[in-house]
Amino acid sequence: MPVIDCDPDDARERLQAAGASVEDGNTEHERWRASLGDATAVAYDEKVVVQGATPTDITAVVEDHAGRVHVYFDGASRGNPGPAAVGWVLVSGDGIVAEGGDRIGRATNNQAEYDALVAGLEAADRYGFDEVEVRGDSQLIVKQVTGAWNTNDPTLKEKRVRVRELLDRFDDWSLTHVPREVNDRADDLANEALDND
């Protein structure tokens, strides 16, 4: 059960901005309670205690995350185009900060890969990281975003522009192609999202 030393008022504002439901505490010592995803936060004087199945749903929002994070991303499409999903993972020196997997409707595999990269970068930006080291197993995406290959498809061009806009928000960034086995958690999250109707 993570305990975060922080200003409870600041933590409450961050959680409300992230879409958490916040209510009064249950005892005279509790300042407030908040629920977000699969986690619950209870605020006391100068600290917040996080409980639940996925504490990172709250700790990722409340804790300060300046510095560097590794972003892993993967997209999946069944049918190309067909039902598609994305998976992303943020990893810092302390372990997994946050992760997600979502269906995105109908898309090609390359479109899903771009959408996964966008989702991971948006999460890293939302959590306040200054630098990102991005890793993905799509050589096409890595080569197009870094400028080594042209992007001829109009839809992929738009997605590439969005990725570059997001990368510009960070003080420093890198984008590297990695083998699929290095990217297995993001791959699992994308495929789990596809499997869950």
Side-chain angles (χ1 to χ4, degrees):
M1 175 175 359
V3 177
I4 304 167
D5 292 323
C6 63
D7 175 358
D9 294 331
D10 179 59
R12 181 181 185 138
E13 287 178 18
R14 289 184 186 201
L15 287 167
Q16 286 175 320
S21 61
V22 181
E23 58 190 43
D24 292 335
N26 291 340
T27 70
E28 64 181 83
H29 300 291
E30 295 178 4
R31 294 180 63 177
W32 49 262
R33 288 179 163 259
S35 296
L36 182 64
D38 288 329
T40 301
V42 180
Y44 301 93
D45 290 336
E46 299 181 18
K47 68 181 175 184
V48 172
V49 178
V50 183
Q51 308 165 27
T54 315
T56 55
D57 288 346
I58 286 180
T59 60
V61 174
V62 173
E63 292 178 326
D64 289 322
H65 291 292
R68 181 181 304 263
V69 70
H70 294 268
V71 179
Y72 294 87
F73 71 96
D74 202 7
S77 174
R78 297 197 179 140
N80 204 27
V86 300
W88 56 269
V89 184
L90 302 183
V91 181
S92 72
D94 297 327
I96 293 177
V97 174
E99 60 184 18
D102 295 297
R103 282 178 162 254
I104 58 167
R106 184 175 172 83
T108 67
N109 193 63
N110 291 335
Q111 291 167 345
E113 293 278 3
Y114 265 110
D115 286 351
L117 177 52
V118 166
L121 291 173
E122 287 175 342
D125 182 48
R126 188 168 57 248
Y127 297 140
F129 288 100
D130 302 316
E131 301 176 7
V132 290
E133 292 185 14
V134 185
R135 308 284 184 259
D137 58 41
S138 170
Q139 187 174 26
L140 177 104
I141 303 304
V142 171
K143 296 283 190 182
Q144 287 184 349
V145 171
T146 58
W149 291 355
N150 289 331
T151 310
N152 297 322
D153 180 274
T155 301
L156 296 186
K157 277 185 179 181
E158 288 180 25
K159 292 179 183 296
R160 180 184 177 274
V161 167
R162 176 64 179 144
V163 166
R164 292 305 301 247
E165 288 171 352
L166 288 166
L167 288 170
D168 285 343
R169 295 182 184 181
F170 299 98
D171 295 339
D172 191 29
W173 62 270
S174 66
L175 177 58
T176 307
H177 178 257
V178 295
R180 182 172 298 275
E181 57 270 14
V182 173
N183 203 36
D184 60 346
R185 182 60 187 150
D187 179 67
D188 288 346
L189 289 164
N191 282 296
E192 287 170 12
L194 273 177
D195 291 338
N196 295 330
D197 290 319

